[in-house]
Amino acid sequence: EDQVTQSPEALRLQEGESSSLNCSYTVSGLRGLFWYRQDPGKGPEFLFTLYSAGEEKEKERLKATLTKKESFLHITAPKPEDSATYLCAVLSNFNKFYFGSGTKLNVKP
Amino acid sequence: DGGITQSPKYLFRKEGQNVTLSCEQNLNHDAMYWYRQDPGQGLRLIYYSQIVNDFQKGDIAEGYSVSREKKESFPLTVTSAQKNPTAFYLCASSMDRDLEQYFGPGTRLTVT
């Protein structure tokens, strides 16, 4: 069964404490993997697209990486303003999107 | 200033009433989507449209209807046949079906 699983469900970090969020997937061929940030009560904000294993993308304190079975969103020295839910989505070879249920990140000052 | 707008932000309806949620984009995107988001669950696709006057059912289309008469607009009607309509509804658009989607701010619908 095609699916996307994100872990952990929730993560609490101290400001400056680096960590990683995981997105593992089992789909019928990967055409693309997308990371989004969602603040409470708002629509998801697009962060990155990754297309092939070994690819990496960076933006400020965030770095996304991709392997054949999973993607990681690394957060380096996070700040309280990085607190949000991070969503992962996968586009399969059948042009179907699968969204994970997200990781809720809370960064304490 | 390009983007996707959804209105209203909050919507309250009585059970048995149909309600229409608005979604407009000025990004010149061909594809548009409607998702439903419930606590603890991933986004679930309701309907999508790749071109004007054409749309396809997603995973949970029952009780919903859409139209795509203009490229910029993709309204969603939640009918009285939808058993569990209370949710956060998100509209999105993309340049093409296989590219990243950009989301609107969402509409929170409460049906009592």
Side-chain angles (χ1 to χ4, degrees):
Chain A
E1 181 189 351
D2 292 341
Q3 63 180 9
V4 175
T5 304
Q6 291 190 247
S7 61
E9 285 186 18
L11 182 62
R12 296 183 69 174
L13 299 173
Q14 286 296 128
E15 184 172 2
E17 179 187 2
S18 301
S19 188
S20 297
L21 282 53
N22 177 263
C23 171
S24 63
Y25 58 90
T26 52
V27 297
S28 308
L30 177 76
R31 294 192 62 184
L33 186 141
F34 308 88
W35 281 100
Y36 291 86
R37 170 194 170 123
Q38 186 175 25
D39 292 301
K42 297 190 175 180
E45 174 192 342
F46 170 70
L47 294 173
F48 304 110
T49 306
L50 300 166
Y51 290 106
S52 56
E55 191 175 357
E56 298 182 350
K57 293 269 179 76
E58 278 188 75
K59 181 181 178 180
E60 295 179 359
R61 294 176 293 282
L62 300 176
K63 179 178 168 180
T65 61
L66 180 64
T67 71
K68 287 187 177 178
K69 292 186 176 179
E70 59 192 348
S71 176
F72 290 94
L73 185 65
H74 307 279
I75 303 178
T76 302
K79 298 182 178 182
E81 54 261 42
D82 295 320
S83 297
T85 295
Y86 291 85
L87 301 175
C88 167
V90 167
L91 177 64
S92 75
N93 274 346
F94 295 105
N95 253 6
K96 184 164 181 176
F97 276 92
Y98 298 88
F99 279 85
S101 52
T103 292
K104 187 173 182 179
L105 174 66
N106 187 6
V107 182
K108 294 287 192 183
Chain B
D1 198 16
I4 303 175
T5 56
Q6 291 185 243
S7 60
K9 189 173 174 63
Y10 299 98
L11 194 51
F12 299 89
R13 279 294 182 270
K14 295 287 187 185
E15 209 173 290
Q17 293 179 332
N18 290 355
V19 60
T20 297
L21 282 59
S22 166
C23 177
E24 304 276 332
Q25 54 99 359
N26 61 3
L27 299 168
N28 199 32
H29 285 172
D30 288 314
M32 295 187 75
Y33 313 80
W34 274 106
Y35 291 93
R36 172 185 171 133
Q37 188 174 37
D38 296 283
Q41 295 194 38
L43 273 66
R44 291 185 290 168
L45 183 65
I46 303 172
Y47 268 99
Y48 68 94
S49 167
Q50 291 186 252
I51 55 171
V52 173
N53 292 323
D54 186 54
F55 46 82
Q56 309 294 329
K57 291 183 179 180
D59 300 316
I60 55 165
E62 187 175 344
Y64 300 98
S65 66
V66 293
S67 63
R68 186 91 185 272
E69 296 177 2
K70 297 186 299 183
K71 186 175 184 176
E72 305 80 22
S73 179
F74 192 40
L76 172 75
T77 297
V78 184
T79 75
S80 55
Q82 166 52 229
K83 291 183 171 45
N84 225 0
T86 294
F88 189 49
Y89 289 88
L90 287 160
C91 178
S93 71
S94 63
M95 186 70 74
D96 202 343
R97 179 94 172 97
D98 59 353
L99 295 175
E100 64 271 10
Q101 298 176 16
Y102 293 87
F103 286 84
T107 292
R108 187 166 297 280
L109 173 65
T110 302
V111 177
T112 57

